[in-house]
Structure formats: structure tokens, C-alpha cells
Amino acid sequence: MSRDHHRPMTPGDRFFDGLTGGVDPARVREAADQAATLLVRGARAGDDPGVAERVVHLAEDEGLETIAEVWAGSPADTLAGCLWRLFLLRSWVYADPDGAARQFEAGRQGAQVARVVAGVADPPGPAEIKAMIDEVLRGVAGADFADVLFRAAAFARVVATGRAHEPGIPGEDVRRMLHLSEQLESAGHLELSHPLV
């Protein structure tokens, strides 16, 4: 039995002219990286302590959805990707400070070193957890960026450990928080060797 094979038709020059919509992913990534760099460098360049507070409250003022549109698709090893993960972590803490405190408390014994690096006051109540995550984000404006990433990673690791020991929390939620911790920690190591800021 014989089958005729045809070469696929190639689009002519005008084929792409008729397509509308869609954005070049490379340009989106470039814009996200530029926005992140301008935010961090601008925050670090000034002596205004109010800048650090504006960085901390960026997600509240602009909306997490707006930040997500710009940075959510950025790889974890980029400045934009790091900022997205930091703001996402802060938004979760503020949305559920009681749960965050409970999960952190549950994970403290299983993640001793991470607990110390995270630097949460003892005992870790909702107010202490919120204060710690705000302090971490303030560091974007002035602290060593690797330290910011390592503290956030340590916090997420303790929470992931707590989630693993808390009944009723799906395994997927544990894995997500652990993955977030690993991404932030990896970015911290990258920051030490090839600064993102």
C-alpha cells in the first residue's frame, strides 16, 4: 500500500501579519526584570526610610494581582522572580496570620536551624510572624539581598515542616511551601556568586 507524503505547507510572509494579540515572552521577561531592578535600586539609592515602607506595602497598594501580571511568570533565579515569591509569601502571612503562626510553631522543632535563620520572635504569634515578614521585605531596600532571600527561605522551610506535621493539610500544600523555600534558598546562593541586584 502506497501513501503519498506531502511536505507541510510553510506560511508565507503575510501569514504573521494577520495574527494579532499575544505578547513576546522575552519582552515580558525583560520588562519584569527592568521593573524589579528599578524598584530595588531605587529603594537602595535613597536615604528616605519611607521607601522601605512603600516596598513592604507594594502588594497592598498596587494589588497582588497587578504584581502577578508583571512578575509571576519570572523564573525563580531572577530578581523579578524573587520579588514575586517574597510578596506572595507576605500576602499569605497577612491573609492567614493565625495559620502561619500555627504552622511555624509546629515546624520549629523539626527545622531548628531554619527557625534560627528566619528570626521570628519567641513565641511566634500572628503579630510576630507579620513583623518578621515585613522586616524581611524592608531588607529589599537596604540589607544584603542574599540575607533577605535566606531568611524568607528559612521561614518557608519551617512552615513547610509544620504543615507536614499538621493534620488535615494536603501534601500538595506542604510541597508548594517547600518548593518556595528551595527556590528562595537557591536564589540566595546565586545572589552570593552573581548578584541579582
Side-chain angles (χ1 to χ4, degrees):
M1 174 172 162
S2 161
R3 241 173 81 185
D4 291 334
H5 291 280
H6 298 286
R7 208 169 73 170
M9 188 174 83
T10 56
D13 291 340
R14 302 219 177 256
F15 176 80
F16 294 102
D17 293 343
L19 297 178
T20 58
V23 180
D24 181 359
R27 295 200 60 179
V28 170
R29 180 176 175 182
E30 181 182 340
D33 288 341
Q34 283 180 337
T37 300
L38 289 172
L39 173 77
V40 173
R41 285 193 182 151
R44 289 170 177 257
D47 293 332
D48 181 5
V51 172
E53 288 308 307
R54 287 193 293 277
V55 169
V56 169
H57 297 285
L58 182 66
E60 293 166 14
D61 297 341
E62 299 301 322
L64 190 62
E65 297 80 16
T66 302
I67 292 174
E69 285 178 21
V70 180
W71 291 336
S74 298
D77 61 353
T78 65
L79 183 56
C82 290
L83 289 176
W84 165 243
R85 284 154 180 82
L86 290 170
F87 281 112
L88 189 62
L89 192 58
R90 182 185 186 272
S91 294
W92 170 71
V93 165
Y94 269 74
D96 186 11
D98 292 321
R102 187 180 62 252
Q103 291 170 22
F104 187 87
E105 174 63 31
R108 287 188 334 154
Q109 294 306 312
Q112 289 286 336
V113 173
R115 175 186 64 84
V116 172
V117 173
V120 176
D122 196 15
E128 290 78 14
I129 296 289
K130 288 165 71 173
M132 183 281 310
I133 200 70
D134 284 352
E135 183 184 335
V136 167
L137 271 177
R138 273 186 206 94
V140 169
D144 182 331
F145 195 57
D147 289 344
V148 168
L149 296 171
F150 287 136
R151 279 192 74 191
F155 173 74
R157 182 166 300 279
V158 174
V159 169
T161 302
R163 284 182 173 187
H165 292 95
E166 195 169 296
I169 294 187
E172 181 59 30
D173 288 355
V174 175
R175 286 187 291 279
R176 257 186 292 204
M177 189 60 75
L178 184 58
H179 186 60
L180 177 64
S181 171
E182 290 167 348
Q183 288 177 323
L184 290 167
E185 184 175 349
S186 179
H189 288 295
L190 180 65
E191 172 68 14
L192 290 175
S193 58
H194 301 325
L196 300 169
V197 179

